[in-house]
Amino acid sequence: IDEYSDKIVEASGNFDTYKTLTEDYHINIDDFVEKEVVLNSKDLDPLNNNILHIFHHENGHKYIPGSSLKGMLKTVLLFYRLSQDRSYILAIEKTIKADFNKWSKNKATGWLSKQWEYAIKQDALFNKREFNHLRPSDSSIINGSYLQIEQVIRQHLYGSDSESLDWLQETVRKGTDIKFILEIIPEFTVPYSVLNNPDLSELFNIINGYSLHLIEFEMDLIEHSVYKGKKTLTGFLSELKRQIERSNGEFAICRIGKGKSIYFQTILSLLDKESLNILINKLKNIKEGEPEYFPKTRVLTAFDKMPGWIKIYEPLPEIVNNTVGELKEKTTLIKASYISQKKVSFRVNNELFEDVQLINTLKKTFKRGEVIDVVVWQVSSKGIHAVRIEYS
């Protein structure tokens, strides 16, 4: 141990653990490896990366806790309530404009921190315990092969660029499907009665409205930054925005976990610009001539992405299979799994056709995944292009 410690001291900040163990002590690292997780990083400095955040786990298994999803839903629904009725926000803005210049920083901070709690207490969703009508479970166990170690950085975006703090964080790989159960009790009252519909599209639209508001807010702030990677970052957020705008209530995109900026809290994101600037000047002591952008840092991956974004969708049951001979346009009758008013999925002779155009002239709505009768309407060289609901 003394010899090993001396090597660390002698290296003067350039100590290489792997090289020392393998070359100086002839230790075969593979003999001690229980599992391997991919590392996604660049310009990795092992001296700075001495913290590793890991998932919640039980008996060594990783999963996404239901409390993370519940917290996200709680924020989303309160945002929906306060954006539908701005009276509470207007009262906060009035206090900020009238009193903040007279208050000390500590008094202003203390007052502001209580507003989220007050909003919860005043809101019918929480007084009537309606939020308990949404019950997300813990996710299924995440197989280790779907995990990777991501280098994340607290990156400066405004003002003079100083050295950023980075660390390693265990994450789920992009594209991984993780199952969880969301139980919804249809006993909501106004303004949440839209959630009594067994179709999840209303809940998805509310989540997407919240995410879209914050993405647009964040993109505006980043556009005014001096960060050299802002083009990649805004491109990442723009793609999320495009997906949300095309979602048609079929899925929701939201952000969970740590690393979100203060704007990802409900009340601040709803304040008008004058109130927000008064707040920033009071809480962060912005000096004259400095840009009024806040917060000045974000937690990003080493490749200029924001961690924590997920897509939530309702899985379809097994897609129905049709055994047919010759396909004839406007004649062949098949069964299809309903996706939306404009899409269905099905199999023909075990060949999968996903998100095929549905001609739904009467705009009739079915339950997602429900099997309906349709007529093959257009066939191209690539297969079935469109189907149509035929009514007798």
Side-chain angles (χ1 to χ4, degrees), residues 69-81:
L69 297 166
K70 191 170 184 176
M72 177 273 295
L73 291 171
K74 192 173 186 178
T75 301
V76 163
L77 293 183
L78 185 56
F79 172 87
Y80 175 73
R81 173 71 176 87

Side-chain angles (χ1 to χ4, degrees), residues 107-123:
K107 183 176 181 179
T109 303
W111 178 85
L112 186 69
S113 65
K114 294 177 181 178
Q115 301 315 302
W116 170 260
E117 181 182 346
Y118 290 161
I120 291 174
K121 288 181 178 179
Q122 292 188 19
D123 190 74

Side-chain angles (χ1 to χ4, degrees), residues 249-260:
E250 295 173 17
F251 58 83
I253 289 178
C254 56
R255 196 176 182 202
I256 62 173
K258 298 179 179 179
K260 298 184 288 294

Side-chain angles (χ1 to χ4, degrees), residues 226-278:
V226 296
Y227 181 44
K228 61 183 179 182
K230 70 178 182 181
K231 183 177 180 180
T232 301
L233 181 54
T234 52
F236 168 77
L237 292 172
S238 295
E239 176 55 31
L240 291 179
K241 181 181 176 182
R242 281 192 292 270
Q243 289 190 46
I244 290 174
E245 291 172 339
R246 299 171 184 170
S247 65
N248 196 30
E250 295 173 17
F251 58 83
I253 289 178
C254 56
R255 196 176 182 202
I256 62 173
K258 298 179 179 179
K260 298 184 288 294
S261 77
I262 197 168
Y263 283 124
F264 280 79
Q265 305 304 323
T266 299
I267 290 177
L268 289 184
S269 67
L270 288 170
L271 295 178
D272 64 27
K273 191 166 183 62
E274 181 185 353
S275 300
L276 203 54
N277 285 338
I278 293 172

